[in-house]
Amino acid sequence: MRYDLTVDAIDFNLSAYDGFPESVTIDIFNDSGVSLGTLGPIDVPVSTQVPVSIAATGIKSIRIMGINGGPTGFSPLINDHVFCPDGSVPTNDLCTDAVAVVCNDTFTGNTSVATDTGGNSTPDVWYSYAGTVAGQVVTFSLCGGTGFDSVLRVFDACDGAEIDVNDDFCEAQSQLTLTSDGFSTYLIMVEGSGSASGEFSLTVSCDPDNPAENDSCDGAIPITCSETVLGDTSSSTDTGGNIAPDVWYSFTGDGVERPITLSLCGDGTDFDSVLRVFDACDGTEINVNDDFCGEQSELTFLSDGTSTYLIMVEGSGSVTTGGAFSLSVSCTPDNDLCEDAVPLVCGETYSGSSLYATNTGGEPSSDVWYSYTGSGIMEDVTVSISEGNTQGERIKKSLS
């Protein structure tokens, strides 16, 4: 088997039909055909999948030969083939390297380049949760933001007893709940059902006795332009707006007046949401939105460049249980596109920034647009950028 690229790690399962030899050797070669080593003999009983892991720098091809006392060779079936071009299996590929998770947060990952360490015959990754409160109810959920048929398993230790398992809680996704004893560390396996693998979003929700750190406005988490944050309102309290749990974020201007767009539209939000923006904690509501994109919310407000704005994420109407969400912040200027060019008038000075604009042409950099309309007579028009500008904005000189 020859690959289209060189790889540094390969993982797969071998299986054989009845009548094939019962063991194989695997020769490994680089791009020049030079041997990188041989694995085996490897026993491959009929109707059994045998996991094989190969690690070597610059693997280009492998050759599988059957051992049956003669020169005849064969290529058995290769199942669940995973290769890592840079050997980059996830850091939490093994239970002993499980990533610690905490209440009221969301964690993303990908099992497609992981190895199979147990459970189903699919690649898996590991997380750990350390209990702190006796009797605390903790929910682990792959509902929303997971792109394959998933399975969740919880163990009392690496190589320990399986405490719980779930498949297909929310259609093809999984969710399970456990009650923490307050001191144990629980190991969570994320894997696929059948042969499935891919990207996932794991949300950890705890009961209201342990709310999110931004449960109240005075604990608002700062967010900035071009940032996307993941969160969960499930275990938070209701601090205003609708009768639904909510969490808080804050946005402070960067010195430039600009429109700020906040959006919950996307795969990461799994409940009917509402967005609110205030000028201060216990202040005036500047803007609110419900159902901009289906049941999700999006709004735009104008930042004066210096003030701090408070943002509430909550549920709509009677959505009192909350859920996981993905909040994106966009600071694209009003005149980001040519059709939205700002009209110029002779004798006036305009300030702006291309810092969060897109690239619509010219140099390979972000740009903003202005327009000038003549007065009906031929005239020389000079457009210039003042000295001291550090953002690299450019307006082309026009003559009309």
Side-chain angles (χ1 to χ4, degrees), residues 290-310:
D290 187 10
D291 297 343
F292 177 90
C293 42
E295 292 187 337
Q296 310 314 331
S297 305
E298 181 175 303
L299 59 78
T300 299
F301 69 94
L302 183 64
S303 166
D304 62 13
T306 58
S307 297
T308 295
Y309 301 87
L310 283 304

Side-chain angles (χ1 to χ4, degrees), residues 71-242:
T72 303
F74 75 104
S75 293
L77 294 174
I78 296 180
N79 307 288
D80 304 324
H81 203 159
V82 177
F83 30 160
C84 309
D86 57 357
S88 56
V89 294
T91 56
N92 57 339
D93 184 51
L94 304 177
C95 181
T96 51
D97 298 318
V99 171
V101 296
V102 296
C103 283
N104 310 310
D105 208 345
T106 299
F107 304 83
T108 58
N110 192 327
T111 66
S112 61
V113 293
T115 54
D116 173 27
T117 63
N120 296 331
S121 298
T122 55
D124 50 68
V125 293
W126 291 85
Y127 294 89
S128 65
Y129 175 80
T132 57
V133 180
Q136 182 181 60
V137 178
V138 185
T139 299
F140 303 97
S141 179
L142 294 172
C143 302
T146 300
F148 65 102
D149 190 353
S150 61
V151 174
L152 272 174
R153 301 177 187 274
V154 177
F155 298 83
D156 62 3
C158 289
D159 298 321
E162 185 173 87
I163 298 172
D164 200 0
V165 60
N166 177 261
D167 187 10
D168 299 342
F169 177 90
C170 41
E171 296 184 350
Q173 309 312 330
S174 305
Q175 177 175 304
L176 55 80
T177 298
L178 63 83
T179 301
S180 170
D181 60 14
F183 59 85
S184 295
T185 296
Y186 302 90
L187 283 304
I188 304 105
M189 173 194 281
V190 179
E191 66 169 348
S193 178
S195 60
S197 65
E199 296 181 350
F200 64 86
S201 176
L202 173 67
T203 298
V204 184
S205 305
C206 302
D207 62 33
D209 290 334
N210 188 10
E213 62 176 303
N214 56 340
D215 179 54
S216 61
C217 183
D218 56 10
I221 296 174
I223 54 177
T224 59
C225 290
S226 304
E227 183 177 7
T228 297
V229 293
L230 303 175
D232 197 293
T233 65
S234 299
S235 64
S236 295
T237 55
D238 173 27
T239 62
N242 297 329

